[in-house]
Structure formats: structure tokens, C-alpha cells
């Protein structure tokens, strides 16, 4: 027998097997043939594997959206990954914002309060951008890659073996159907032998598929470890961002008094018309508040307190810790009574809260009517 004859016979056998499976499948759908059912344990394992695959895909895709909200950037990264090439490095949104702030601060002048504040904010934004890059890289390695490996590796193997099991089951049922139709003793003997062989191959493939499917539990355990790594990466990222903004808040806290002092020295400088009011930061949350910066508006309103007789109410903009016993500690959003005293520094007022009294910085206050 030459190679060509062997190939022809193999093709004929494959065609016959395919036709037999097609006929069996069609008759099952039409209710004209019986179907060998898988045992309940194997069916449960198949459902668990399919459920794992579907939810793993959803979690993976949404994690990618979380880490990279720009769909065009995700598509570009996907194309470069398929081409096995490294995507070009580009600035992310915090880094772009930070660079704009730094450029604006240098344009306005690093020696000015606003310019200096912009530069410091820009540097913080760039640090946040760097932390964001680290989060994406760490999450891709420790979380997304294992999920993708399961979808593109382990589950594809399960799918292949599951399809093979389906074919073996069709072969077995087709053989059983032929046995029922066999009438001659010789034909029945041949059909019984065929059924035994088909049953053996089906049982063997069912065992292989079962062993693979039981590995899903190990997959869940592995993905749990990966999930812990992802959570730790997020914790690190948010802790870094919190620390960066906390440091920035402390740096900006000294700007208002410096700005007012510079304003008294230079009468020709332009007075900014806007005032940035900060929101309170509680001990359990991050609020990254900026100091209230104003010139003419702040000077005129605070000057009204010093020229008026009697007391006024003021709302505290953000927390203040007293430096010594002559000062009064403040809590954001509380309302206190303030008034001026002869000989006091222009940047301070006297504040009262119940029986407590002490100096308070005017830049931490918002005067009320």
C-alpha cells in the first residue's frame, strides 16, 4: 500500500465518521435518536468551567477599562501586543496636566505665589502620573496576565477536549443505533464490538475531560492570589496619591500670608479677582484642599473687620493647629467669633469659641454677614 492509497482510505474513513456524527446529531435534535447523557458531576464541572470563563472575561475587560479608560489607547496597546512590539511611551493625563501647570507657573513667574503654587501642583500631578503607570504595570503583570493566560490557554485546552468528548459521545450513540438496526447475527456481533470500542473511547475521554475540569478549583485559588496582588497594588497607589496630596496641601498652606506680604511690598502688581475656597478634610478622608488666595477681595473684607466695632462671625476654611498657647486651634467648617485688637499683626485676628480664646490666621477664615 502506497502513501496515496493510505491517504485516500483515511479521508474516506474520516468522511464516513463525520457523516455518521452528523446523522446522529440531527436525529437527536429531531427526537429520533437516543442520547447518552453525561454524569451529573461532569455536567456540573462543565457549567463551572463555562461560568468561570465568562466572568473572567468580564472582570479582565473591565479591569483594562479601569486602568486605561481611553478606548483608542487600549486598541493601540492591543495591536502592538499582537505584533509583539512595545507600544510607544506617552504621557498619561496626570502627567500632561502636571506639565501644563509647570509651564504656566514658569510663565507667570516662579517667584509669584500663583506661579509657585502651579509649579508645586504640577510636580505633584506628575508624581501621581508616575504612580498611575506603576499601578498599570503591576496590575498587568500580577492580575491581567494570569486571567488572560487562563482564557487563551487552559480554557482553550478544556474546549478542545470537551469537543472531542462530544465527538466520542456521538460515535458511541451512532454505534448503538447501528446495533439496534442490525438483524443478522454477524452484523450484530460486529456492531457489539463497535459499541464496546466506542464506549471505551468515550469513557477514556470523559475521564481526561473530568481531570481538566477539576483543575478549575486550582484556577480559582490562583486567581484569588492574583486578586490579592491587584488589591495591594491599588492600596499602594492610593496611599501614594494621598501622601502626595497631603504634602502638597502642607506646602500650599503657607502661600496666602506670603502672597499678602508680597502684595503690600508691590503696589503696582495686578490684583487677582478669584478666590479658591477649600473644602474641609476630616481625619478619615482625603480632601486635598487648597488655601484661599485673594488680594483685593480678601484685603477689603478683612479690613472691614479691623475697622468695625464689635464682633463678627467667621467660618473656618480648613483645620489649623495652634503653634503655641496664644493661638486657637481650628476645625474646618466650624463657626467662631472674631474681632481685632489694637497692635495685632495684620495677618491675625482674635477668635473665640465658647470659653476658648486665641489668635487665628485670617487666611483660614471666611467672614459671614
Amino acid at each position: 500500500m502506497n502513501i496515496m492509497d493510505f491517504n485516500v482510505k483515511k479521508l474516506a474513513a474520516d468522511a464516513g465518521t463525520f457523516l455518521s456524527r452528523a446523522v446522529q446529531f440531527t436525529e437527536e435534535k429531531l427526537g429520533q435518536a437516543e442520547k447518552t447523557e453525561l454524569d451529573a458531576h461532569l455536567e456540573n464541572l462543565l457549567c463551572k468551567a463555562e461560568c468561570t470563563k465568562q466572568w473572567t472575561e468580564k472582570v479582565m475587560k473591565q479591569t483594562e477599562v479601569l486602568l486605561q479608560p481611553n478606548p483608542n489607547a487600549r486598541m493601540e496597546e492591543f495591536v502592538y501586543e499582537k505584533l509583539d512590539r512595545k507600544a510607544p511611551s506617552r504621557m498619561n493625563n496626570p502627567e500632561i496636566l502636571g506639565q501644563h501647570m509647570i509651564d504656566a507657573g514658569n510663565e507667570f513667574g516662579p517667584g509669584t505665589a500663583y506661579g509657585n503654587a502651579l509649579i508645586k501642583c504640577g510636580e505633584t500631578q506628575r508624581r501621581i502620573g508616575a504612580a498611575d503607570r506603576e499601578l498599570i504595570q503591576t496590575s498587568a503583570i500580577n492580575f491581567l496576565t494570569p486571567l488572560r493566560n487562563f482564557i487563551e490557554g487552559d480554557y482553550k485546552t478544556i474546549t478542545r477536549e470537551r469537543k472531542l468528548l462530544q465527538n466520542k459521545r456521538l460515535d458511541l450513540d451512532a454505534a448503538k443505533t447501528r446495533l439496534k438496526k442490525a438483524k443478522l447475527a454477524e452484523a450484530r456481533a460486529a456492531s457489539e464490538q463497535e459499541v464496546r470500542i466506542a464506549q471505551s473511547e468515550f469513557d477514556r475521554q470523559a475521564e481526561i475531560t473530568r481531570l481538566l475540569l477539576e483543575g478549575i478549583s486550582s484556577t480559582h485559588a490562583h486567581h484569588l492570589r492574583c486578586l490579592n496582588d491587584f488589591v495591594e497594588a491599588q492600596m499602594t497607589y492610593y496611599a501614594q496619591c494621598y501622601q502626595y496630596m497631603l504634602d502638597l496641601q502642607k506646602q500650599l498652606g503657607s502661600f496666602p500670608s506670603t502672597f499678602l506680604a508680597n502684595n503690600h511690598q508691590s503696589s503696582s502688581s495686578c490684583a487677582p479677582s478669584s478666590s479658591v475656597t477649600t473644602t474641609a478634610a476630616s481625619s478619615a478622608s482625603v480632601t486635598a484642599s487648597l488655601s484661599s488666595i485673594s488680594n483685593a477681595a480678601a484685603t477689603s473684607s478683612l479690613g472691614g473687620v479691623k475697622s468695625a466695632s464689635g464682633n463678627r462671625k467667621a467660618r473656618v476654611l480648613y483645620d489649623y493647629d495652634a503653634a503655641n498657647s496664644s493661638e486657637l486651634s481650628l476645625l474646618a467648617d466650624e463657626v467662631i467669633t472674631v474681632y481685632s485688637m489694637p497692635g495685632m499683626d495684620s495677618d491675625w485676628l482674635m477668635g473665640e469659641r465658647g470659653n476658648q480664646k486665641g489668635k487665628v490666621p485670617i487666611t483660614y477664615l471666611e467672614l459671614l454677614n
Side-chain angles (χ1 to χ4, degrees), residues 320-330 348 359 361:
Y320 175 75
D321 293 329
N324 51 56
S325 59
S326 66
E327 297 178 8
L328 180 66
S329 295
L330 303 175
W348 295 80
K359 296 191 302 179

Side-chain angles (χ1 to χ4, degrees), residues 4 19 37 109 163 173 175-176 183 209 215 242 253 302 309 317 319:
M4 182 173 294
L19 180 60
E37 299 293 341
K163 184 177 180 180
D173 289 337
K176 290 180 178 178
K183 296 181 179 180
T209 306
Y242 170 76
L302 293 173
S309 58
L317 296 177
D319 294 350

